[in-house]
Amino acid sequence: MRGKTLGENADAQLSALGAAIGLGPATDEVRALVRELLGGSGNWPLDHPRWPSEVADDHSPLEYSVAFDAQGVPTLRVLVECLAEQPSPRANQQAALAAMARLHSTLPLSLDRFAAVSGEFLPEDPTGPFSVGFSVVARPDSTPVLKVYLNPNARGPMLAPALVAQALDRLGFIGGEQQLRSKMRGLHTMDRYSFFALDLDDRPAARAKVYISHYHATGADVRRAATASREGNAVEVSEFCARAAGTDGPLDGRPLVSAYTFLEGDGATPSGYSLYVPVRDYVSDDTVALDRTLNLARRYGITPDAVRGAVEAVRGRDLAAGPGLIAHLSLRTGPPRPGMTVYLSAEGYGMAQPSTASRVGAA
Ligand code: TRP
């Protein structure tokens, strides 16, 4: 069921994923939104990537994830980087803003908070691989919502803390960046700001999220990172890390990532904490990654069949052929919705080259 173009492939995988997790009619809405976000790049053939997107290891500009919780209603998310017909950092940034303007007419987007913070993140000459990304977030029986990701390194890494600080302050989370920094091991070296995300809807729980990558980190480091949040479960995230990565670290492959969730009224201290483990760098192949995922599912009261179904829906090859289909596993602790999320690579361009970083715990 593989498509010939980026868009057809995404469409087929989304239909299968939506069916596997019982998304119902919202599946079609997600397919349409992803088509819209891909724009002209949806028609590109899958012979080779036209732009080295960092969304996925094979340079696909999209990645799926399914957020599971003990209540049993999964959420489907699709992370998409908008690519221009003639891609460049600036042209892709413009393509993303144009897509957002188009979607504004079909979705109930609330752009006030985006307008309040985005300027600093959108220089005319953005540094780095991306400046704006989106995720489409869908649950059964409701209209999908959109989340936007900005790049704190868009003006270079040295300015990332200032960009994050200013954005949090403007949203009313005054002093939030200093709070996050107080738990870091080494800003710019061991710990780096990687994404700044906003929900673009106006639900009361609309949130801001700050992502920090931790290089060569251990379970003890993530325990400490979680304590920068109010309700993050520090003990459980380090347990999750050890089980997902198969080791207590240090994790010398791709970095662990912390995400802090700021909800209305949070002030400097975020409510929630999520940990992302790039499991693909810490397994020999996806059979091992799936085993770990299923064991974790049981631990969190998630039906293993739901997880298996999602993996099957996206899989286009033998799991034993190598790692990479299951890209990240994440544990969400504290509000708004605790649970585990499984990130699945589209592998539209095929399996990615293994990371050059040494792999730990490969078994
Ligand atoms: N592929 C990139 C990475 O691994 C970006 C990315 C995609 C990512 N999905 C993610 C990062 C989930 C953290 C969590 O870093």
Side-chain angles (χ1 to χ4, degrees):
M1 261 237 299
R2 290 191 97 65
K4 290 190 182 59
T5 63
L6 206 51
E8 284 172 8
N9 201 53
D11 211 47
Q13 287 176 321
L14 284 170
S15 299
L17 254 180
I21 67 170
L23 196 60
T27 306
D28 291 340
E29 294 180 72
V30 174
R31 288 167 56 203
L33 286 168
V34 169
R35 269 279 173 179
E36 184 70 49
L37 290 170
L38 288 175
S41 77
N43 299 323
W44 292 349
L46 286 170
D47 51 0
H48 73 279
R50 304 272 188 285
W51 176 255
S53 174
E54 289 191 359
V55 166
D57 297 352
D58 71 337
H59 301 311
S60 289
L62 82 173
E63 181 191 60
Y64 312 111
S65 56
V66 184
F68 296 96
D69 59 33
Q71 282 69 51
V73 185
T75 303
L76 174 64
R77 297 191 296 212
V78 192
L79 173 61
V80 183
E81 181 178 3
C82 296
L83 301 178
E85 291 288 347
Q86 304 288 329
S88 71
R90 173 71 173 164
N92 295 346
Q93 179 199 74
Q94 296 299 307
L97 295 175
M100 193 155 103
R102 287 198 305 276
L103 289 176
H104 196 19
S105 58
T106 52
L107 282 180
L109 297 186
S110 159
L111 300 182
D112 298 358
R113 294 173 334 127
F114 178 78
V117 306
S118 59
E120 293 298 315
F121 292 90
L122 301 172
E124 274 186 27
D125 187 12
T127 310
F130 89 103
S131 54
V132 190
F134 295 100
S135 70
V136 176
V137 182
R139 292 169 63 76
D141 307 320
S142 54
T143 308
V145 294
L146 211 61
K147 187 171 154 187
V148 64
Y149 298 81
L150 296 164
N151 183 356
N153 302 293
R155 293 180 190 269
M158 295 315 280
L159 288 180
L163 263 59
V164 170
Q166 190 177 70
L168 288 175
D169 286 356
R170 287 202 182 144
L171 294 171
F173 307 121
I174 295 167
E177 194 275 328
Q178 289 85 330
Q179 161 73 7
L180 301 183
R181 200 193 288 205
S182 71
K183 301 293 178 185
M184 285 189 191
R185 298 163 304 159
L187 182 62
H188 301 304
T189 55
M190 312 278 269
D191 303 300
R192 297 181 202 160
Y193 287 109
S194 34
F195 309 101
F196 186 90
L198 283 174
D199 286 340
L200 292 180
D201 56 304
D202 49 13
R203 289 172 304 172
R207 59 203 160 142
K209 266 176 109 173
V210 179
Y211 296 73
I212 299 173
S213 301
H214 306 291
Y215 294 83
H216 310 289
T218 63
D221 295 330
V222 302
R223 241 185 339 266
R224 179 176 158 86
T227 61
S229 70
R230 187 176 298 117
E231 293 178 57
N233 185 335
V235 172
E236 193 54 40
V237 293
S238 63
E239 189 62 39
F240 175 82
C241 181
R243 289 168 190 255
T247 165
D248 248 329
L251 297 178
D252 296 323
R254 285 187 176 80
L256 292 169
V257 179
S258 291
Y260 295 93
T261 303
F262 289 84
L263 297 176
E264 208 168 313
D266 271 353
T269 307
S271 297
Y273 177 85
S274 306
L275 178 73
Y276 300 75
V277 179
V279 60
R280 62 201 186 281
D281 267 12
Y282 303 96
V283 291
S284 50
D285 64 53
D286 276 305
T287 62
V288 182
L290 180 58
D291 272 351
R292 289 192 196 158
T293 309
L294 294 174
N295 284 332
L296 286 164
R298 288 183 200 100
R299 180 175 177 87
Y300 300 115
I302 296 160
T303 328
D305 281 351
V307 175
R308 238 186 239 109
V311 171
E312 275 306 300
V314 178
R315 184 175 74 86
R317 50 126 174 131
D318 200 343
L319 293 178
L325 180 65
I326 303 179
H328 281 94
L329 294 176
S330 92
L331 185 71
R332 312 184 307 278
T333 71
R337 203 191 291 275
M340 179 172 75
T341 307
V342 179
Y343 289 74
L344 298 168
S345 200
E347 296 192 336
Y349 296 112
M351 283 175 63
Q353 298 299 313
S355 156
T356 46
S358 64
R359 287 204 244 131
V360 178

